[in-house]
mmCIF file of all heavy atoms in Angstrom:
data_model
loop_
_atom_site.group_PDB
_atom_site.id
_atom_site.type_symbol
_atom_site.label_atom_id
_atom_site.label_comp_id
_atom_site.label_asym_id
_atom_site.label_seq_id
_atom_site.Cartn_x
_atom_site.Cartn_y
_atom_site.Cartn_z
ATOM 1 N N ARG A 1 70.524 43.279 18.162
ATOM 2 C CA ARG A 1 69.676 43.899 17.153
ATOM 3 C C ARG A 1 68.748 42.814 16.606
ATOM 4 O O ARG A 1 69.172 41.675 16.415
ATOM 5 C CB ARG A 1 70.511 44.500 16.005
ATOM 6 C CG ARG A 1 71.434 45.625 16.435
ATOM 7 C CD ARG A 1 70.642 46.872 16.831
ATOM 8 N NE ARG A 1 71.516 47.960 17.213
ATOM 9 C CZ ARG A 1 71.976 48.188 18.430
ATOM 10 N NH1 ARG A 1 71.641 47.360 19.415
ATOM 11 N NH2 ARG A 1 72.766 49.191 18.694
ATOM 12 N N PRO A 2 67.498 43.141 16.329
ATOM 13 C CA PRO A 2 66.576 42.095 15.853
ATOM 14 C C PRO A 2 66.966 41.583 14.475
ATOM 15 O O PRO A 2 67.314 42.362 13.582
ATOM 16 C CB PRO A 2 65.224 42.815 15.842
ATOM 17 C CG PRO A 2 65.556 44.271 15.736
ATOM 18 C CD PRO A 2 66.851 44.460 16.459
ATOM 19 N N LEU A 3 66.921 40.275 14.314
ATOM 20 C CA LEU A 3 67.143 39.662 13.008
ATOM 21 C C LEU A 3 65.861 39.635 12.189
ATOM 22 O O LEU A 3 65.906 39.643 10.960
ATOM 23 C CB LEU A 3 67.676 38.239 13.177
ATOM 24 C CG LEU A 3 68.915 38.076 14.081
ATOM 25 C CD1 LEU A 3 69.318 36.607 14.151
ATOM 26 C CD2 LEU A 3 70.062 38.924 13.583
ATOM 27 N N VAL A 4 64.732 39.580 12.879
ATOM 28 C CA VAL A 4 63.408 39.600 12.250
ATOM 29 C C VAL A 4 62.550 40.579 13.029
ATOM 30 O O VAL A 4 62.515 40.534 14.262
ATOM 31 C CB VAL A 4 62.754 38.201 12.242
ATOM 32 C CG1 VAL A 4 61.368 38.267 11.621
ATOM 33 C CG2 VAL A 4 63.633 37.202 11.495
ATOM 34 N N SER A 5 61.865 41.476 12.328
ATOM 35 C CA SER A 5 61.013 42.473 12.978
ATOM 36 C C SER A 5 59.589 42.302 12.481
ATOM 37 O O SER A 5 59.314 42.482 11.292
ATOM 38 C CB SER A 5 61.511 43.894 12.677
ATOM 39 O OG SER A 5 62.823 44.089 13.181
ATOM 40 N N ASP A 6 58.684 41.930 13.389
ATOM 41 C CA ASP A 6 57.272 41.805 13.023
ATOM 42 C C ASP A 6 56.349 42.307 14.128
ATOM 43 O O ASP A 6 55.159 42.002 14.121
ATOM 44 C CB ASP A 6 56.944 40.349 12.679
ATOM 45 C CG ASP A 6 57.193 39.396 13.844
ATOM 46 O OD1 ASP A 6 57.631 39.866 14.918
ATOM 47 O OD2 ASP A 6 56.958 38.187 13.690
ATOM 48 N N GLY A 7 56.890 43.056 15.081
ATOM 49 C CA GLY A 7 56.076 43.607 16.139
ATOM 50 C C GLY A 7 55.841 42.691 17.322
ATOM 51 O O GLY A 7 55.156 43.073 18.271
ATOM 52 N N THR A 8 56.400 41.472 17.303
ATOM 53 C CA THR A 8 56.223 40.549 18.411
ATOM 54 C C THR A 8 57.026 41.025 19.625
ATOM 55 O O THR A 8 58.189 41.397 19.502
ATOM 56 C CB THR A 8 56.683 39.139 18.023
ATOM 57 O OG1 THR A 8 55.949 38.715 16.871
ATOM 58 C CG2 THR A 8 56.453 38.155 19.159
ATOM 59 N N THR A 9 56.389 41.025 20.788
ATOM 60 C CA THR A 9 57.055 41.431 22.026
ATOM 61 C C THR A 9 57.788 40.245 22.631
ATOM 62 O O THR A 9 57.187 39.218 22.927
ATOM 63 C CB THR A 9 56.041 41.984 23.045
ATOM 64 O OG1 THR A 9 55.354 43.099 22.456
ATOM 65 C CG2 THR A 9 56.738 42.436 24.314
ATOM 66 N N VAL A 10 59.078 40.404 22.797
ATOM 67 C CA VAL A 10 59.932 39.359 23.353
ATOM 68 C C VAL A 10 60.659 39.932 24.558
ATOM 69 O O VAL A 10 61.008 41.117 24.579
ATOM 70 C CB VAL A 10 60.950 38.856 22.310
ATOM 71 C CG1 VAL A 10 61.833 37.768 22.892
ATOM 72 C CG2 VAL A 10 60.228 38.337 21.077
ATOM 73 N N GLN A 11 60.894 39.113 25.566
ATOM 74 C CA GLN A 11 61.612 39.545 26.760
ATOM 75 C C GLN A 11 62.690 38.530 27.113
ATOM 76 O O GLN A 11 62.424 37.325 27.151
ATOM 77 C CB GLN A 11 60.667 39.730 27.948
ATOM 78 C CG GLN A 11 59.739 40.925 27.816
ATOM 79 C CD GLN A 11 58.902 41.157 29.057
ATOM 80 O OE1 GLN A 11 58.640 40.237 29.829
ATOM 81 N NE2 GLN A 11 58.469 42.383 29.264
ATOM 82 N N LEU A 12 63.901 39.037 27.350
ATOM 83 C CA LEU A 12 64.993 38.224 27.853
ATOM 84 C C LEU A 12 65.246 38.645 29.297
ATOM 85 O O LEU A 12 65.717 39.747 29.557
ATOM 86 C CB LEU A 12 66.254 38.410 27.011
ATOM 87 C CG LEU A 12 67.504 37.670 27.503
ATOM 88 C CD1 LEU A 12 67.266 36.160 27.461
ATOM 89 C CD2 LEU A 12 68.725 38.048 26.686
ATOM 90 N N ARG A 13 64.930 37.773 30.240
ATOM 91 C CA ARG A 13 65.061 38.079 31.660
ATOM 92 C C ARG A 13 66.422 37.569 32.139
ATOM 93 O O ARG A 13 66.661 36.359 32.157
ATOM 94 C CB ARG A 13 63.921 37.444 32.451
ATOM 95 C CG ARG A 13 62.541 37.878 31.956
ATOM 96 C CD ARG A 13 61.426 37.187 32.721
ATOM 97 N NE ARG A 13 60.126 37.518 32.168
ATOM 98 C CZ ARG A 13 59.386 38.569 32.524
ATOM 99 N NH1 ARG A 13 59.849 39.388 33.474
ATOM 100 N NH2 ARG A 13 58.213 38.806 31.979
ATOM 101 N N VAL A 14 67.274 38.493 32.535
ATOM 102 C CA VAL A 14 68.639 38.169 32.937
ATOM 103 C C VAL A 14 68.714 38.180 34.456
ATOM 104 O O VAL A 14 68.354 39.173 35.095
ATOM 105 C CB VAL A 14 69.648 39.164 32.334
ATOM 106 C CG1 VAL A 14 71.074 38.762 32.682
ATOM 107 C CG2 VAL A 14 69.473 39.249 30.824
ATOM 108 N N ILE A 15 69.184 37.080 35.041
ATOM 109 C CA ILE A 15 69.305 36.972 36.485
ATOM 110 C C ILE A 15 70.636 36.303 36.820
ATOM 111 O O ILE A 15 71.273 35.672 35.962
ATOM 112 C CB ILE A 15 68.151 36.153 37.110
ATOM 113 C CG1 ILE A 15 68.105 34.751 36.506
ATOM 114 C CG2 ILE A 15 66.821 36.863 36.931
ATOM 115 C CD1 ILE A 15 67.066 33.849 37.137
ATOM 116 N N SER A 16 71.053 36.445 38.070
ATOM 117 C CA SER A 16 72.236 35.747 38.552
ATOM 118 C C SER A 16 71.832 34.366 39.065
ATOM 119 O O SER A 16 70.642 34.059 39.205
ATOM 120 C CB SER A 16 72.907 36.545 39.668
ATOM 121 O OG SER A 16 72.022 36.687 40.770
ATOM 122 N N PHE A 17 72.825 33.529 39.338
ATOM 123 C CA PHE A 17 72.522 32.155 39.731
ATOM 124 C C PHE A 17 71.793 32.090 41.070
ATOM 125 O O PHE A 17 71.085 31.116 41.332
ATOM 126 C CB PHE A 17 73.813 31.326 39.782
ATOM 127 C CG PHE A 17 74.696 31.656 40.945
ATOM 128 C CD1 PHE A 17 74.676 30.886 42.090
ATOM 129 C CD2 PHE A 17 75.562 32.736 40.899
ATOM 130 C CE1 PHE A 17 75.484 31.179 43.166
ATOM 131 C CE2 PHE A 17 76.379 33.033 41.966
ATOM 132 C CZ PHE A 17 76.343 32.259 43.109
ATOM 133 N N GLU A 18 71.944 33.117 41.917
ATOM 134 C CA GLU A 18 71.236 33.086 43.196
ATOM 135 C C GLU A 18 69.726 33.128 43.025
ATOM 136 O O GLU A 18 68.974 32.647 43.881
ATOM 137 C CB GLU A 18 71.665 34.258 44.083
ATOM 138 C CG GLU A 18 73.144 34.253 44.466
ATOM 139 C CD GLU A 18 73.965 35.147 43.562
ATOM 140 O OE1 GLU A 18 73.524 35.343 42.398
ATOM 141 O OE2 GLU A 18 75.018 35.625 43.983
ATOM 142 N N ALA A 19 69.247 33.722 41.929
ATOM 143 C CA ALA A 19 67.808 33.896 41.710
ATOM 144 C C ALA A 19 67.242 32.832 40.782
ATOM 145 O O ALA A 19 66.206 33.047 40.144
ATOM 146 C CB ALA A 19 67.527 35.280 41.145
ATOM 147 N N ALA A 20 67.882 31.678 40.689
ATOM 148 C CA ALA A 20 67.427 30.633 39.767
ATOM 149 C C ALA A 20 66.026 30.139 40.103
ATOM 150 O O ALA A 20 65.343 29.588 39.242
ATOM 151 C CB ALA A 20 68.401 29.460 39.777
ATOM 152 N N GLY A 21 65.581 30.353 41.333
ATOM 153 C CA GLY A 21 64.245 29.910 41.706
ATOM 154 C C GLY A 21 63.129 30.661 41.024
ATOM 155 O O GLY A 21 61.972 30.221 41.060
ATOM 156 N N LEU A 22 63.424 31.798 40.383
ATOM 157 C CA LEU A 22 62.394 32.572 39.687
ATOM 158 C C LEU A 22 62.025 31.974 38.334
ATOM 159 O O LEU A 22 60.997 32.321 37.763
ATOM 160 C CB LEU A 22 62.867 34.018 39.480
ATOM 161 C CG LEU A 22 63.130 34.856 40.736
ATOM 162 C CD1 LEU A 22 63.674 36.231 40.338
ATOM 163 C CD2 LEU A 22 61.856 35.016 41.548
ATOM 164 N N VAL A 23 62.841 31.085 37.812
ATOM 165 C CA VAL A 23 62.636 30.567 36.462
ATOM 166 C C VAL A 23 61.465 29.588 36.455
ATOM 167 O O VAL A 23 61.461 28.611 37.213
ATOM 168 C CB VAL A 23 63.907 29.861 35.949
ATOM 169 C CG1 VAL A 23 63.674 29.302 34.545
ATOM 170 C CG2 VAL A 23 65.083 30.817 35.956
ATOM 171 N N PRO A 24 60.443 29.810 35.598
ATOM 172 C CA PRO A 24 59.368 28.813 35.457
ATOM 173 C C PRO A 24 59.894 27.579 34.741
ATOM 174 O O PRO A 24 60.488 27.681 33.671
ATOM 175 C CB PRO A 24 58.308 29.552 34.636
ATOM 176 C CG PRO A 24 59.068 30.600 33.885
ATOM 177 C CD PRO A 24 60.222 30.998 34.755
ATOM 178 N N THR A 25 59.679 26.415 35.320
ATOM 179 C CA THR A 25 60.251 25.187 34.778
ATOM 180 C C THR A 25 59.237 24.295 34.081
ATOM 181 O O THR A 25 59.599 23.223 33.599
ATOM 182 C CB THR A 25 60.918 24.382 35.912
ATOM 183 O OG1 THR A 25 59.947 24.111 36.936
ATOM 184 C CG2 THR A 25 62.072 25.168 36.520
ATOM 185 N N GLY A 26 57.974 24.712 34.003
ATOM 186 C CA GLY A 26 56.977 23.920 33.289
ATOM 187 C C GLY A 26 56.828 22.530 33.887
ATOM 188 O O GLY A 26 56.744 22.366 35.100
ATOM 189 N N THR A 27 56.834 21.522 33.033
ATOM 190 C CA THR A 27 56.682 20.134 33.478
ATOM 191 C C THR A 27 58.003 19.377 33.438
ATOM 192 O O THR A 27 58.018 18.150 33.470
ATOM 193 C CB THR A 27 55.661 19.411 32.590
ATOM 194 O OG1 THR A 27 56.114 19.438 31.219
ATOM 195 C CG2 THR A 27 54.297 20.052 32.685
ATOM 196 N N THR A 28 59.138 20.090 33.363
ATOM 197 C CA THR A 28 60.436 19.427 33.224
ATOM 198 C C THR A 28 60.902 18.789 34.517
ATOM 199 O O THR A 28 61.739 17.884 34.492
ATOM 200 C CB THR A 28 61.496 20.424 32.748
ATOM 201 O OG1 THR A 28 61.600 21.505 33.701
ATOM 202 C CG2 THR A 28 61.117 20.988 31.386
ATOM 203 N N GLY A 29 60.414 19.259 35.673
ATOM 204 C CA GLY A 29 60.838 18.705 36.945
ATOM 205 C C GLY A 29 62.198 19.159 37.413
ATOM 206 O O GLY A 29 62.713 18.668 38.419
ATOM 207 N N VAL A 30 62.812 20.106 36.716
ATOM 208 C CA VAL A 30 64.123 20.597 37.115
ATOM 209 C C VAL A 30 63.976 21.485 38.349
ATOM 210 O O VAL A 30 62.990 22.202 38.507
ATOM 211 C CB VAL A 30 64.794 21.358 35.959
ATOM 212 C CG1 VAL A 30 64.081 22.666 35.660
ATOM 213 C CG2 VAL A 30 66.259 21.632 36.244
ATOM 214 N N THR A 31 64.945 21.437 39.247
ATOM 215 C CA THR A 31 64.888 22.186 40.494
ATOM 216 C C THR A 31 65.841 23.361 40.475
ATOM 217 O O THR A 31 66.718 23.472 39.606
ATOM 218 C CB THR A 31 65.232 21.270 41.685
ATOM 219 O OG1 THR A 31 66.596 20.823 41.557
ATOM 220 C CG2 THR A 31 64.301 20.069 41.726
ATOM 221 N N ARG A 32 65.662 24.230 41.460
ATOM 222 C CA ARG A 32 66.550 25.389 41.601
ATOM 223 C C ARG A 32 67.991 24.945 41.794
ATOM 224 O O ARG A 32 68.910 25.528 41.217
ATOM 225 C CB ARG A 32 66.076 26.224 42.783
ATOM 226 C CG ARG A 32 67.015 27.356 43.162
ATOM 227 C CD ARG A 32 66.540 28.029 44.438
ATOM 228 N NE ARG A 32 67.460 29.056 44.876
ATOM 229 C CZ ARG A 32 67.328 29.725 46.010
ATOM 230 N NH1 ARG A 32 66.301 29.462 46.810
ATOM 231 N NH2 ARG A 32 68.200 30.648 46.353
ATOM 232 N N ARG A 33 68.212 23.913 42.597
ATOM 233 C CA ARG A 33 69.566 23.431 42.837
ATOM 234 C C ARG A 33 70.230 22.944 41.556
ATOM 235 O O ARG A 33 71.411 23.197 41.312
ATOM 236 C CB ARG A 33 69.525 22.312 43.878
ATOM 237 C CG ARG A 33 70.862 21.631 44.131
ATOM 238 C CD ARG A 33 71.847 22.561 44.801
ATOM 239 N NE ARG A 33 71.421 22.888 46.151
ATOM 240 C CZ ARG A 33 72.095 23.704 46.950
ATOM 241 N NH1 ARG A 33 73.206 24.277 46.522
ATOM 242 N NH2 ARG A 33 71.652 23.965 48.165
ATOM 243 N N MET A 34 69.480 22.274 40.685
ATOM 244 C CA MET A 34 70.044 21.795 39.419
ATOM 245 C C MET A 34 70.494 22.952 38.543
ATOM 246 O O MET A 34 71.567 22.893 37.920
ATOM 247 C CB MET A 34 69.005 20.948 38.681
ATOM 248 C CG MET A 34 68.626 19.660 39.383
ATOM 249 S SD MET A 34 67.313 18.796 38.479
ATOM 250 C CE MET A 34 66.983 17.427 39.594
ATOM 251 N N LEU A 35 69.672 24.000 38.476
ATOM 252 C CA LEU A 35 70.037 25.147 37.652
ATOM 253 C C LEU A 35 71.250 25.871 38.221
ATOM 254 O O LEU A 35 72.124 26.332 37.475
ATOM 255 C CB LEU A 35 68.847 26.110 37.543
ATOM 256 C CG LEU A 35 67.600 25.544 36.840
ATOM 257 C CD1 LEU A 35 66.487 26.577 36.849
ATOM 258 C CD2 LEU A 35 67.925 25.133 35.417
ATOM 259 N N GLN A 36 71.327 25.974 39.539
ATOM 260 C CA GLN A 36 72.475 26.623 40.150
ATOM 261 C C GLN A 36 73.746 25.817 39.923
ATOM 262 O O GLN A 36 74.805 26.369 39.614
ATOM 263 C CB GLN A 36 72.225 26.829 41.639
ATOM 264 C CG GLN A 36 71.186 27.899 41.950
ATOM 265 C CD GLN A 36 70.958 28.050 43.436
ATOM 266 O OE1 GLN A 36 71.141 27.117 44.204
ATOM 267 N NE2 GLN A 36 70.551 29.251 43.847
ATOM 268 N N ASN A 37 73.648 24.499 40.063
ATOM 269 C CA ASN A 37 74.823 23.664 39.830
ATOM 270 C C ASN A 37 75.302 23.738 38.390
ATOM 271 O O ASN A 37 76.491 23.544 38.112
ATOM 272 C CB ASN A 37 74.505 22.206 40.192
ATOM 273 C CG ASN A 37 74.374 21.994 41.691
ATOM 274 O OD1 ASN A 37 74.806 22.834 42.481
ATOM 275 N ND2 ASN A 37 73.779 20.889 42.074
ATOM 276 N N ALA A 38 74.383 24.006 37.461
ATOM 277 C CA ALA A 38 74.764 24.066 36.050
ATOM 278 C C ALA A 38 75.692 25.234 35.756
ATOM 279 O O ALA A 38 76.505 25.169 34.826
ATOM 280 C CB ALA A 38 73.519 24.154 35.175
ATOM 281 N N VAL A 39 75.590 26.326 36.527
ATOM 282 C CA VAL A 39 76.435 27.498 36.280
ATOM 283 C C VAL A 39 77.370 27.792 37.449
ATOM 284 O O VAL A 39 78.180 28.704 37.377
ATOM 285 C CB VAL A 39 75.574 28.746 35.983
ATOM 286 C CG1 VAL A 39 74.787 28.555 34.705
ATOM 287 C CG2 VAL A 39 74.631 29.051 37.138
ATOM 288 N N PHE A 40 77.240 27.047 38.528
ATOM 289 C CA PHE A 40 78.087 27.239 39.698
ATOM 290 C C PHE A 40 78.324 25.865 40.325
ATOM 291 O O PHE A 40 77.744 25.530 41.344
ATOM 292 C CB PHE A 40 77.429 28.178 40.690
ATOM 293 C CG PHE A 40 78.385 28.746 41.721
ATOM 294 C CD1 PHE A 40 79.749 28.521 41.638
ATOM 295 C CD2 PHE A 40 77.917 29.499 42.777
ATOM 296 C CE1 PHE A 40 80.628 29.032 42.569
ATOM 297 C CE2 PHE A 40 78.791 30.021 43.727
ATOM 298 C CZ PHE A 40 80.146 29.784 43.623
ATOM 299 N N PRO A 41 79.217 25.049 39.741
ATOM 300 C CA PRO A 41 79.370 23.663 40.191
ATOM 301 C C PRO A 41 79.841 23.532 41.629
ATOM 302 O O PRO A 41 79.669 22.486 42.238
ATOM 303 C CB PRO A 41 80.413 23.094 39.221
ATOM 304 C CG PRO A 41 80.404 24.015 38.048
ATOM 305 C CD PRO A 41 80.030 25.353 38.581
ATOM 306 N N LYS A 42 80.449 24.571 42.213
ATOM 307 C CA LYS A 42 80.957 24.455 43.573
ATOM 308 C C LYS A 42 79.847 24.192 44.577
ATOM 309 O O LYS A 42 80.093 23.723 45.676
ATOM 310 C CB LYS A 42 81.708 25.735 43.953
ATOM 311 C CG LYS A 42 82.982 25.956 43.151
ATOM 312 C CD LYS A 42 83.685 27.228 43.581
ATOM 313 C CE LYS A 42 84.944 27.452 42.748
ATOM 314 N NZ LYS A 42 85.625 28.709 43.131
ATOM 315 N N LEU A 43 78.610 24.533 44.183
ATOM 316 C CA LEU A 43 77.499 24.305 45.106
ATOM 317 C C LEU A 43 77.278 22.823 45.374
ATOM 318 O O LEU A 43 76.674 22.453 46.356
ATOM 319 C CB LEU A 43 76.216 24.920 44.539
ATOM 320 C CG LEU A 43 76.152 26.445 44.542
ATOM 321 C CD1 LEU A 43 74.855 26.892 43.907
ATOM 322 C CD2 LEU A 43 76.273 27.003 45.945
ATOM 323 N N GLU A 44 77.771 21.956 44.483
ATOM 324 C CA GLU A 44 77.569 20.532 44.694
ATOM 325 C C GLU A 44 78.270 20.053 45.968
ATOM 326 O O GLU A 44 77.802 19.186 46.669
ATOM 327 C CB GLU A 44 78.092 19.756 43.487
ATOM 328 C CG GLU A 44 77.310 20.050 42.216
ATOM 329 C CD GLU A 44 77.913 19.342 41.032
ATOM 330 O OE1 GLU A 44 78.987 18.737 41.193
ATOM 331 O OE2 GLU A 44 77.313 19.389 39.944
ATOM 332 N N GLY A 45 79.411 20.641 46.278
ATOM 333 C CA GLY A 45 80.150 20.226 47.459
ATOM 334 C C GLY A 45 79.667 20.859 48.730
ATOM 335 O O GLY A 45 80.150 20.538 49.810
ATOM 336 N N SER A 46 78.709 21.803 48.642
ATOM 337 C CA SER A 46 78.237 22.472 49.836
ATOM 338 C C SER A 46 77.203 21.655 50.600
ATOM 339 O O SER A 46 76.888 21.959 51.726
ATOM 340 C CB SER A 46 77.622 23.833 49.466
ATOM 341 O OG SER A 46 76.483 23.638 48.647
#
């Protein structure tokens, strides 16, 4: 439920770890593999 209502349009995009490549990373330099490892550490051993 909104804590503040002022008409601003906000979107929360929910994805699984397989689709981590869709996330815009700006200038952070983070990669898809890093994001996947953050929520699925077993990928490090693959």
Side-chain angles (χ1 to χ4, degrees):
R1 297 291 181 271
L3 307 180
V4 178
S5 298
D6 60 359
T8 303
T9 302
V10 180
Q11 290 185 335
L12 176 63
R13 303 178 185 272
V14 184
I15 58 176
S16 62
F17 72 98
E18 298 97 334
L22 297 176
V23 179
T25 57
T27 59
T28 59
V30 69
T31 64
R32 172 186 176 185
R33 175 68 67 181
M34 295 176 185
L35 297 178
Q36 289 179 333
N37 289 344
V39 296
F40 197 7
K42 294 181 181 179
L43 289 178
E44 295 176 354
S46 64

